[in-house]
Amino acid sequence: SAVISQKPSRDICQRGTSLTIQCQVDSQVTMMFWYRQQPGQSLTLIATANQGSEATYESGFVIDKFPISRPNLTFSTLTVSNMSPEDSSIYLCSGFPGQGGEQFFGPGTRLTVL
Amino acid sequence: QQQVKQSPQSLIVQKGGISIINCAYENTAFDYFPWYQQFPGKGPALLIAIRPDVSEKKEGRFTISFNKSAKQFSLHIMDSQPGDSATYFCAASSGNTGKLIFGQGTTLQVKP
């Protein structure tokens, strides 16, 4: 299956600042997603990153807080804006090639907000 | 209705034993049920997946059993090994949306 890389792998940020996480897939995928995994918890879908258009957000997540870009079929960014300690989590991107394919995940970005 | 409930939360098994993790769902529109394995500091990796047209799927030591009428599915790990110690997540999605709803996760420890 394809390989996803994420940058940065981890970061420690100050309250009120923003961090942009990059996700790169080594092949074109139909869909890309962003998930959040709070410490010791399961994964929660934040949004679907749509190529060339605005992302589709799940309930409880908004564009102002988590702006997402997807300029092409292999790259996406997630920004965590105006961070608070509650945003401390692992953020994971995933790629999905479409019907019949498997969804695969990047290694995650571990974010700590002080 | 979008929830996927997973149990147990944690599991300790002796080497060579069988590990069993269960999941239940409510949404009958779900038609894809994968299991992911996650090691500390890594992203989840697909282990095995099933669609509702079959009741069982086996890949090596890993088997998914699926009960459509009960809306339940389970992962069986045969001959469990210490290297299987990880967190396991069941998930479900519908159609070709790709949107995965994850269970709460099960931390498996296989003792040598």
Side-chain angles (χ1 to χ4, degrees), chain A residues 21-107:
Chain A
I21 303 168
Q22 298 179 5
C23 177
Q24 179 73 56
V25 190
D26 68 352
S27 61
Q28 293 184 350
V29 288
T30 303
M31 297 178 180
M32 294 181 74
F33 301 95
W34 288 96
Y35 290 82
R36 182 173 72 183
Q37 185 175 25
Q38 294 179 308
Q41 302 294 316
S42 185
L43 287 80
T44 301
L45 180 62
I46 297 172
T48 304
N50 299 309
Q51 193 256 330
S53 64
E54 192 171 284
T56 306
Y57 291 84
E58 299 300 309
S59 176
F61 298 96
V62 295
I63 187 171
D64 290 346
K65 178 67 176 176
F66 298 102
I68 289 170
S69 77
R70 190 180 174 194
N72 56 51
L73 293 176
T74 64
F75 185 79
S76 179
T77 67
L78 168 75
T79 299
V80 186
S81 302
N82 188 26
M83 289 184 285
S84 67
E86 292 71 34
D87 295 320
S88 297
S89 280
I90 299 171
Y91 292 86
L92 296 132
C93 71
S94 72
F96 180 56
Q99 185 175 7
E102 64 179 65
Q103 186 164 155
F104 51 96
F105 286 82

Coordinates of all heavy atoms in Angstrom, one line a residue, chain A residues 21-107:
Chain A
I21 N 0.3 21.2 10.1 CA 0.8 19.9 9.9 C 0.7 19.5 8.5 O -0.4 19.7 7.8 CB 0.0 18.9 10.8 CG1 0.0 19.3 12.3 CG2 0.5 17.5 10.6 CD1 -1.0 18.5 13.2
Q22 N 1.7 19.0 7.9 CA 1.7 18.6 6.5 C 1.6 17.1 6.4 O 2.1 16.3 7.2 CB 3.0 19.0 5.9 CG 3.2 20.5 5.9 CD 4.6 20.9 5.2 OE1 5.3 20.1 4.7 NE2 4.9 22.2 5.2
C23 N 0.9 16.6 5.4 CA 0.7 15.2 5.1 C 1.0 15.0 3.6 O 0.4 15.6 2.7 CB -0.8 14.8 5.4 SG -1.2 13.1 5.0
Q24 N 1.9 14.1 3.3 CA 2.3 13.8 2.0 C 2.1 12.3 1.7 O 2.6 11.4 2.4 CB 3.8 14.1 1.8 CG 4.3 13.8 0.4 CD 3.8 14.8 -0.7 OE1 3.9 16.0 -0.5 NE2 3.2 14.3 -1.7
V25 N 1.4 12.0 0.6 CA 1.2 10.6 0.2 C 2.1 10.3 -1.0 O 2.3 11.2 -1.9 CB -0.2 10.3 -0.1 CG1 -0.5 8.8 -0.3 CG2 -1.2 10.8 0.9
D26 N 2.7 9.1 -1.1 CA 3.6 8.8 -2.2 C 2.9 8.4 -3.5 O 3.6 8.0 -4.5 CB 4.6 7.8 -1.7 CG 4.0 6.4 -1.5 OD1 2.8 6.2 -1.6 OD2 4.8 5.4 -1.3
S27 N 1.6 8.4 -3.5 CA 0.8 8.1 -4.7 C -0.5 8.9 -4.6 O -1.0 9.2 -3.5 CB 0.6 6.6 -4.9 OG -0.1 6.1 -3.8
Q28 N -1.2 9.1 -5.7 CA -2.4 9.8 -5.7 C -3.5 9.0 -5.0 O -3.6 7.8 -5.2 CB -2.9 10.1 -7.1 CG -1.9 11.1 -7.8 CD -2.4 11.5 -9.2 OE1 -3.4 10.9 -9.7 NE2 -1.8 12.5 -9.8
V29 N -4.3 9.6 -4.2 CA -5.5 9.0 -3.5 C -6.7 9.8 -3.8 O -6.7 11.0 -3.9 CB -5.2 8.8 -2.0 CG1 -4.2 7.7 -1.8 CG2 -4.8 10.1 -1.4
T30 N -7.8 9.1 -3.8 CA -9.1 9.8 -4.0 C -9.5 10.7 -2.8 O -9.9 11.8 -3.0 CB -10.2 8.8 -4.2 OG1 -9.9 7.9 -5.3 CG2 -11.5 9.5 -4.5
M31 N -9.3 10.2 -1.6 CA -9.7 10.9 -0.4 C -8.6 11.0 0.6 O -7.8 10.0 0.7 CB -10.9 10.2 0.2 CG -12.2 10.2 -0.6 SD -13.5 9.3 0.2 CE -14.8 9.4 -1.0
M32 N -8.5 12.1 1.3 CA -7.6 12.2 2.4 C -8.5 12.7 3.6 O -9.4 13.5 3.4 CB -6.5 13.2 2.1 CG -5.5 12.7 1.0 SD -4.2 13.8 0.7 CE -3.2 13.6 2.2
F33 N -8.1 12.2 4.8 CA -8.8 12.5 6.0 C -7.9 12.9 7.1 O -6.7 12.6 7.1 CB -9.6 11.3 6.5 CG -10.6 10.7 5.5 CD1 -10.3 9.7 4.7 CD2 -11.9 11.2 5.5 CE1 -11.2 9.1 3.8 CE2 -12.8 10.7 4.6 CZ -12.5 9.6 3.8
W34 N -8.4 13.7 8.0 CA -7.7 14.1 9.2 C -8.4 13.5 10.4 O -9.7 13.7 10.6 CB -7.5 15.6 9.3 CG -6.5 16.1 8.3 CD1 -6.7 16.6 7.1 CD2 -5.1 16.1 8.5 NE1 -5.6 17.0 6.5 CE2 -4.5 16.7 7.4 CE3 -4.2 15.7 9.5 CZ2 -3.1 16.9 7.2 CZ3 -2.9 15.9 9.4 CH2 -2.3 16.5 8.2
Y35 N -7.7 12.9 11.3 CA -8.2 12.3 12.6 C -7.5 12.9 13.8 O -6.3 13.3 13.7 CB -8.1 10.8 12.6 CG -9.0 10.0 11.6 CD1 -8.5 9.9 10.3 CD2 -10.1 9.4 12.0 CE1 -9.3 9.2 9.4 CE2 -10.9 8.7 11.1 CZ -10.5 8.6 9.8 OH -11.3 7.9 8.9
R36 N -8.1 12.9 14.9 CA -7.5 13.3 16.2 C -7.6 12.1 17.1 O -8.6 11.4 17.2 CB -8.2 14.5 16.8 CG -7.6 15.0 18.1 CD -8.2 16.2 18.6 NE -9.6 16.0 19.1 CZ -10.4 17.0 19.5 NH1 -9.9 18.3 19.4 NH2 -11.6 16.7 19.9
Q37 N -6.5 11.9 17.8 CA -6.4 10.8 18.8 C -5.9 11.4 20.1 O -4.7 11.6 20.2 CB -5.5 9.6 18.3 CG -5.5 8.4 19.2 CD -4.7 7.3 18.7 OE1 -3.8 7.4 17.9 NE2 -5.1 6.0 19.1
Q38 N -6.8 11.6 21.0 CA -6.4 12.1 22.3 C -5.7 11.0 23.1 O -5.9 9.9 22.8 CB -7.6 12.7 23.0 CG -8.1 13.9 22.3 CD -9.3 14.6 22.9 OE1 -10.3 13.9 23.2 NE2 -9.3 15.9 23.1
P39 N -4.8 11.4 24.0 CA -4.0 10.5 24.7 C -4.8 9.3 25.3 O -5.7 9.5 26.0 CB -3.3 11.3 25.9 CG -3.3 12.7 25.3 CD -4.6 12.8 24.5
G40 N -4.3 8.1 24.9 CA -5.0 6.9 25.4 C -6.4 6.7 24.8 O -7.1 5.8 25.4
Q41 N -6.8 7.4 23.8 CA -8.1 7.3 23.3 C -8.2 6.8 21.9 O -7.2 6.5 21.3 CB -8.8 8.7 23.4 CG -8.8 9.3 24.7 CD -9.7 8.6 25.7 OE1 -10.8 8.1 25.4 NE2 -9.2 8.4 26.9
S42 N -9.4 6.7 21.4 CA -9.6 6.2 20.0 C -9.4 7.4 19.0 O -9.1 8.5 19.4 CB -11.0 5.6 19.9 OG -11.2 5.0 18.6
L43 N -9.6 7.1 17.8 CA -9.5 8.1 16.7 C -10.9 8.7 16.4 O -11.9 8.0 16.3 CB -9.0 7.4 15.4 CG -7.5 7.1 15.4 CD1 -7.2 5.7 16.1 CD2 -7.0 7.0 14.0
T44 N -10.9 10.0 16.2 CA -12.1 10.7 15.9 C -11.8 11.5 14.6 O -10.8 12.2 14.5 CB -12.5 11.7 17.0 OG1 -12.7 11.0 18.2 CG2 -13.7 12.5 16.6
L45 N -12.7 11.3 13.7 CA -12.6 12.0 12.4 C -12.8 13.5 12.5 O -13.9 13.9 13.1 CB -13.6 11.4 11.4 CG -13.6 12.0 10.0 CD1 -12.2 11.8 9.3 CD2 -14.7 11.4 9.1
I46 N -11.9 14.3 12.1 CA -12.0 15.8 12.1 C -12.7 16.2 10.8 O -13.7 16.9 10.9 CB -10.7 16.5 12.2 CG1 -10.0 16.1 13.5 CG2 -10.8 18.0 12.1 CD1 -8.6 16.6 13.6
A47 N -12.2 15.8 9.7 CA -12.7 16.3 8.4 C -12.2 15.5 7.2 O -11.2 14.8 7.3 CB -12.3 17.8 8.2
T48 N -12.9 15.6 6.1 CA -12.4 15.1 4.8 C -11.8 16.2 4.1 O -12.4 17.3 3.9 CB -13.6 14.6 4.0 OG1 -14.3 13.6 4.8 CG2 -13.2 13.9 2.7
A49 N -10.6 16.0 3.6 CA -9.9 17.1 2.9 C -10.2 16.9 1.4 O -9.8 15.9 0.8 CB -8.3 16.9 3.1
N50 N -10.9 17.8 0.8 CA -11.4 17.7 -0.5 C -10.4 18.4 -1.5 O -10.0 19.6 -1.2 CB -12.8 18.3 -0.7 CG -13.8 17.6 0.2 OD1 -13.9 16.4 0.1 ND2 -14.5 18.3 1.0
Q51 N -10.0 17.8 -2.5 CA -9.1 18.4 -3.4 C -9.7 19.5 -4.2 O -10.7 19.3 -4.9 CB -8.5 17.3 -4.4 CG -7.3 17.8 -5.2 CD -7.6 18.1 -6.6 OE1 -8.5 17.6 -7.2 NE2 -6.9 19.0 -7.2
G52 N -9.1 20.7 -4.1 CA -9.6 21.8 -4.8 C -10.8 22.5 -4.3 O -11.3 23.4 -4.9
S53 N -11.3 22.1 -3.1 CA -12.5 22.7 -2.5 C -12.4 22.7 -1.0 O -11.5 22.1 -0.5 CB -13.8 22.1 -3.0 OG -13.9 20.7 -2.6
E54 N -13.3 23.3 -0.4 CA -13.3 23.4 1.1 C -13.5 22.0 1.7 O -14.2 21.1 1.2 CB -14.5 24.3 1.5 CG -14.4 24.7 3.0 CD -15.4 25.8 3.3 OE1 -15.2 27.0 2.9 OE2 -16.5 25.5 3.9
A55 N -12.8 21.8 2.8 CA -13.0 20.5 3.5 C -14.4 20.3 4.1 O -15.1 21.3 4.3 CB -11.9 20.5 4.6
T56 N -14.7 19.1 4.3 CA -16.0 18.7 4.9 C -15.8 18.3 6.4 O -15.1 17.3 6.6 CB -16.7 17.6 4.2 OG1 -16.8 17.9 2.8 CG2 -18.1 17.3 4.8
Y57 N -16.3 19.1 7.3 CA -16.0 18.9 8.7 C -17.1 18.0 9.4 O -18.3 18.1 9.1 CB -15.9 20.2 9.4 CG -14.7 21.0 9.0 CD1 -14.7 21.8 7.9 CD2 -13.5 20.9 9.7 CE1 -13.5 22.4 7.4 CE2 -12.3 21.5 9.3 CZ -12.4 22.3 8.2 OH -11.2 22.9 7.8
E58 N -16.6 17.2 10.4 CA -17.6 16.4 11.2 C -18.1 17.3 12.3 O -17.6 18.4 12.6 CB -16.8 15.2 11.7 CG -16.3 14.3 10.7 CD -17.4 13.7 9.8 OE1 -18.4 13.2 10.3 OE2 -17.3 13.8 8.5
S59 N -19.2 16.8 12.9 CA -19.8 17.5 14.0 C -18.8 17.8 15.1 O -18.1 16.9 15.5 CB -21.0 16.7 14.5 OG -21.6 17.3 15.6
G60 N -18.8 19.0 15.6 CA -17.9 19.4 16.7 C -16.6 20.0 16.2 O -15.8 20.4 17.0
F61 N -16.3 20.0 14.9 CA -15.1 20.6 14.4 C -15.5 21.6 13.3 O -16.4 21.5 12.5 CB -14.3 19.5 13.7 CG -13.8 18.4 14.6 CD1 -14.5 17.2 14.7 CD2 -12.7 18.6 15.4 CE1 -14.1 16.2 15.6 CE2 -12.2 17.6 16.3 CZ -13.0 16.4 16.4
V62 N -14.7 22.8 13.4 CA -15.1 23.9 12.5 C -13.8 24.4 11.8 O -12.7 24.3 12.3 CB -15.7 25.1 13.3 CG1 -17.0 24.6 13.9 CG2 -14.8 25.5 14.5
I63 N -14.1 25.0 10.7 CA -13.0 25.5 9.8 C -12.1 26.5 10.4 O -10.9 26.6 10.2 CB -13.6 26.0 8.5 CG1 -12.5 26.3 7.4 CG2 -14.5 27.2 8.7 CD1 -13.0 26.6 6.0
D64 N -12.7 27.4 11.2 CA -11.9 28.4 11.9 C -10.9 27.9 12.8 O -9.8 28.5 13.0 CB -12.8 29.4 12.6 CG -13.7 30.3 11.7 OD1 -13.4 30.3 10.5 OD2 -14.6 30.9 12.2
K65 N -11.2 26.8 13.4 CA -10.3 26.1 14.4 C -9.3 25.2 13.7 O -8.1 25.1 14.0 CB -11.1 25.3 15.4 CG -10.2 24.6 16.4 CD -9.5 25.5 17.3 CE -8.7 24.7 18.4 NZ -7.9 25.6 19.3
F66 N -9.8 24.5 12.6 CA -9.0 23.5 11.9 C -9.0 23.7 10.4 O -9.5 22.9 9.7 CB -9.5 22.1 12.3 CG -9.4 21.7 13.7 CD1 -10.5 21.7 14.5 CD2 -8.2 21.3 14.3 CE1 -10.5 21.3 15.8 CE2 -8.1 20.9 15.6 CZ -9.2 21.0 16.4
P67 N -8.5 24.8 9.9 CA -8.5 25.0 8.5 C -7.6 23.9 7.8 O -6.6 23.5 8.3 CB -7.8 26.4 8.3 CG -7.2 26.7 9.6 CD -7.9 26.0 10.7
I68 N -8.1 23.4 6.7 CA -7.5 22.3 6.0 C -7.3 22.7 4.5 O -8.2 23.4 3.9 CB -8.4 21.1 6.1 CG1 -8.3 20.5 7.5 CG2 -7.9 20.0 5.0 CD1 -9.3 19.4 7.7
S69 N -6.2 22.4 3.9 CA -6.0 22.6 2.5 C -5.7 21.2 1.9 O -5.1 20.3 2.5 CB -4.9 23.6 2.2 OG -3.6 23.0 2.4
R70 N -6.0 21.1 0.6 CA -5.6 20.0 -0.2 C -5.5 20.4 -1.7 O -6.4 20.3 -2.5 CB -6.7 18.8 -0.1 CG -6.1 17.6 -0.8 CD -7.0 16.4 -0.7 NE -6.4 15.3 -1.5 CZ -7.1 14.2 -1.9 NH1 -8.4 14.1 -1.6 NH2 -6.5 13.3 -2.5
P71 N -4.3 20.9 -2.0 CA -4.1 21.5 -3.3 C -4.0 20.5 -4.4 O -4.2 20.8 -5.6 CB -2.7 22.2 -3.1 CG -2.0 21.5 -2.0 CD -3.1 21.1 -1.1
N72 N -3.7 19.2 -4.1 CA -3.6 18.2 -5.1 C -3.9 16.8 -4.5 O -4.4 16.7 -3.4 CB -2.2 18.2 -5.8 CG -1.1 18.0 -4.7 OD1 -1.1 17.1 -3.9 ND2 -0.1 18.9 -4.8
L73 N -3.7 15.8 -5.3 CA -4.2 14.4 -4.9 C -3.2 13.7 -3.9 O -3.4 12.6 -3.6 CB -4.5 13.5 -6.1 CG -5.7 14.0 -6.9 CD1 -5.8 13.1 -8.2 CD2 -6.9 13.9 -6.1
T74 N -2.1 14.4 -3.6 CA -1.1 13.7 -2.8 C -0.7 14.5 -1.5 O 0.1 14.0 -0.7 CB 0.2 13.4 -3.5 OG1 0.8 14.7 -3.9 CG2 -0.1 12.5 -4.8
F75 N -1.3 15.7 -1.3 CA -0.8 16.5 -0.2 C -2.0 17.2 0.4 O -2.9 17.7 -0.2 CB 0.2 17.6 -0.8 CG 0.8 18.5 0.2 CD1 1.9 18.0 1.0 CD2 0.4 19.8 0.4 CE1 2.5 18.8 1.9 CE2 1.0 20.6 1.4 CZ 2.0 20.1 2.1
S76 N -1.8 17.4 1.8 CA -2.8 18.1 2.5 C -2.2 18.7 3.8 O -1.2 18.2 4.2 CB -4.0 17.2 3.0 OG -5.0 17.9 3.7
T77 N -2.8 19.8 4.2 CA -2.3 20.4 5.5 C -3.5 20.6 6.4 O -4.6 20.8 6.0 CB -1.6 21.7 5.3 OG1 -2.6 22.7 4.8 CG2 -0.5 21.6 4.3
L78 N -3.2 20.5 7.7 CA -4.2 20.8 8.8 C -3.5 21.8 9.7 O -2.4 21.6 10.1 CB -4.5 19.5 9.6 CG -5.3 19.7 10.9 CD1 -6.7 20.0 10.6 CD2 -5.1 18.5 11.8
T79 N -4.2 22.9 9.9 CA -3.7 23.9 10.9 C -4.6 23.8 12.1 O -5.8 23.7 12.1 CB -3.8 25.3 10.3 OG1 -3.0 25.3 9.1 CG2 -3.4 26.3 11.3
V80 N -3.9 23.8 13.3 CA -4.6 23.8 14.5 C -4.4 25.3 15.0 O -3.3 25.7 15.3 CB -4.1 22.9 15.6 CG1 -4.9 22.9 16.8 CG2 -4.0 21.4 15.0
S81 N -5.5 26.0 15.1 CA -5.4 27.5 15.3 C -5.7 27.8 16.7 O -6.5 27.2 17.4 CB -6.5 28.2 14.4 OG -6.3 27.9 13.0
N82 N -5.1 28.9 17.2 CA -5.4 29.5 18.5 C -5.4 28.4 19.5 O -6.4 28.1 20.2 CB -6.7 30.3 18.5 CG -7.0 31.0 19.8 OD1 -6.0 31.3 20.5 ND2 -8.2 31.2 20.1
M83 N -4.3 27.7 19.6 CA -4.3 26.4 20.4 C -4.5 26.7 21.9 O -4.0 27.7 22.5 CB -3.0 25.7 20.1 CG -2.9 25.1 18.7 SD -1.4 24.2 18.5 CE -0.2 25.5 18.3
S84 N -5.1 25.7 22.5 CA -5.2 25.6 24.0 C -4.7 24.2 24.4 O -4.5 23.3 23.6 CB -6.6 25.8 24.4 OG -7.4 24.7 24.0
P85 N -4.4 24.0 25.7 CA -4.0 22.7 26.2 C -4.9 21.6 25.8 O -4.4 20.4 25.6 CB -3.9 22.9 27.7 CG -3.6 24.3 27.9 CD -4.4 25.0 26.8
E86 N -6.2 21.9 25.6 CA -7.1 20.8 25.2 C -6.9 20.3 23.8 O -7.4 19.2 23.4 CB -8.6 21.3 25.3 CG -9.1 21.6 26.7 CD -8.4 22.8 27.3 OE1 -8.1 23.8 26.6 OE2 -8.2 22.8 28.6
D87 N -6.1 21.0 23.0 CA -5.8 20.6 21.7 C -4.6 19.6 21.7 O -4.2 19.1 20.6 CB -5.4 21.8 20.8 CG -6.6 22.7 20.6 OD1 -7.7 22.2 20.4 OD2 -6.4 23.9 20.6
S88 N -4.0 19.3 22.8 CA -2.9 18.4 22.9 C -3.4 17.0 22.5 O -4.3 16.4 23.2 CB -2.3 18.3 24.3 OG -1.8 19.6 24.7
S89 N -2.9 16.5 21.4 CA -3.4 15.2 20.9 C -2.4 14.7 19.8 O -1.4 15.4 19.5 CB -4.7 15.4 20.1 OG -5.8 15.5 21.0
I90 N -2.7 13.6 19.3 CA -2.0 13.1 18.1 C -2.9 13.4 16.9 O -4.1 13.0 17.0 CB -1.7 11.6 18.2 CG1 -0.8 11.3 19.4 CG2 -1.0 11.1 16.9 CD1 -0.6 9.9 19.7
Y91 N -2.4 14.0 15.9 CA -3.2 14.3 14.7 C -2.7 13.4 13.6 O -1.5 13.3 13.3 CB -3.1 15.7 14.3 CG -3.8 16.6 15.3 CD1 -3.1 17.1 16.5 CD2 -5.1 17.0 15.2 CE1 -3.7 17.8 17.4 CE2 -5.7 17.8 16.2 CZ -5.0 18.2 17.3 OH -5.7 18.9 18.2
L92 N -3.6 12.6 13.0 CA -3.3 11.7 12.0 C -4.0 12.0 10.7 O -5.1 12.3 10.6 CB -3.7 10.3 12.4 CG -3.0 9.7 13.6 CD1 -4.0 9.1 14.6 CD2 -2.0 8.6 13.3
C93 N -3.2 11.9 9.6 CA -3.9 11.9 8.3 C -3.9 10.5 7.7 O -3.2 9.6 8.0 CB -3.2 12.9 7.3 SG -1.6 12.4 6.7
S94 N -4.9 10.4 6.8 CA -5.0 9.1 6.1 C -5.4 9.3 4.7 O -5.8 10.3 4.3 CB -6.1 8.2 6.8 OG -7.4 8.7 6.5
G95 N -5.1 8.2 3.9 CA -5.4 8.2 2.5 C -6.3 7.1 2.1 O -6.2 6.0 2.7
F96 N -7.2 7.3 1.2 CA -8.2 6.3 0.8 C -8.3 6.3 -0.7 O -8.7 7.3 -1.3 CB -9.5 6.5 1.5 CG -10.6 5.5 1.1 CD1 -10.4 4.2 1.4 CD2 -11.8 6.0 0.6 CE1 -11.4 3.3 1.1 CE2 -12.8 5.1 0.3 CZ -12.6 3.7 0.5
P97 N -7.9 5.2 -1.3 CA -7.9 5.2 -2.8 C -9.3 5.1 -3.4 O -9.5 5.3 -4.6 CB -7.0 4.0 -3.1 CG -7.2 3.1 -2.0 CD -7.3 4.0 -0.8
G98 N -10.3 4.8 -2.6 CA -11.6 4.6 -3.1 C -12.1 3.2 -3.1 O -11.5 2.3 -2.4
Q99 N -13.2 2.9 -3.7 CA -13.9 1.6 -3.6 C -12.9 0.4 -3.8 O -12.1 0.4 -4.7 CB -15.0 1.5 -4.7 CG -15.8 0.3 -4.6 CD -16.9 0.3 -5.7 OE1 -17.0 1.2 -6.5 NE2 -17.8 -0.7 -5.6
G100 N -13.0 -0.5 -2.8 CA -12.2 -1.7 -2.8 C -10.8 -1.5 -2.2 O -10.1 -2.5 -2.1
G101 N -10.5 -0.3 -2.0 CA -9.1 0.0 -1.4 C -9.1 0.1 0.1 O -10.2 0.1 0.7
E102 N -8.0 0.1 0.7 CA -7.9 0.2 2.1 C -7.4 1.5 2.5 O -6.6 2.2 1.8 CB -6.9 -0.9 2.6 CG -5.5 -0.7 2.2 CD -4.5 -1.7 2.8 OE1 -4.7 -2.9 2.4 OE2 -3.6 -1.3 3.5
Q103 N -7.9 2.0 3.7 CA -7.5 3.3 4.2 C -6.2 3.1 5.0 O -6.2 2.2 5.9 CB -8.6 3.9 5.0 CG -8.3 5.3 5.5 CD -9.5 6.0 6.0 OE1 -9.5 6.9 6.8 NE2 -10.7 5.6 5.6
F104 N -5.2 3.9 4.7 CA -3.9 3.8 5.4 C -3.6 5.1 6.1 O -4.0 6.2 5.6 CB -2.8 3.3 4.4 CG -2.8 4.2 3.2 CD1 -1.9 5.2 3.1 CD2 -3.6 3.9 2.1 CE1 -1.8 6.0 1.9 CE2 -3.6 4.7 1.0 CZ -2.7 5.7 0.9
F105 N -2.8 5.0 7.2 CA -2.6 6.2 8.0 C -1.1 6.6 8.0 O -0.2 5.7 7.8 CB -3.0 5.8 9.4 CG -4.5 5.8 9.6 CD1 -5.2 4.7 9.3 CD2 -5.1 6.9 10.2 CE1 -6.6 4.7 9.4 CE2 -6.5 6.9 10.3 CZ -7.2 5.8 10.0
G106 N -0.9 7.9 8.3 CA 0.4 8.4 8.5 C 0.8 8.0 9.9 O 0.0 7.5 10.7
P107 N 2.1 8.4 10.3 CA 2.6 8.1 11.6 C 2.1 9.0 12.7 O 2.2 8.7 13.9 CB 4.1 8.2 11.5 CG 4.2 9.2 10.4 CD 3.1 9.0 9.4

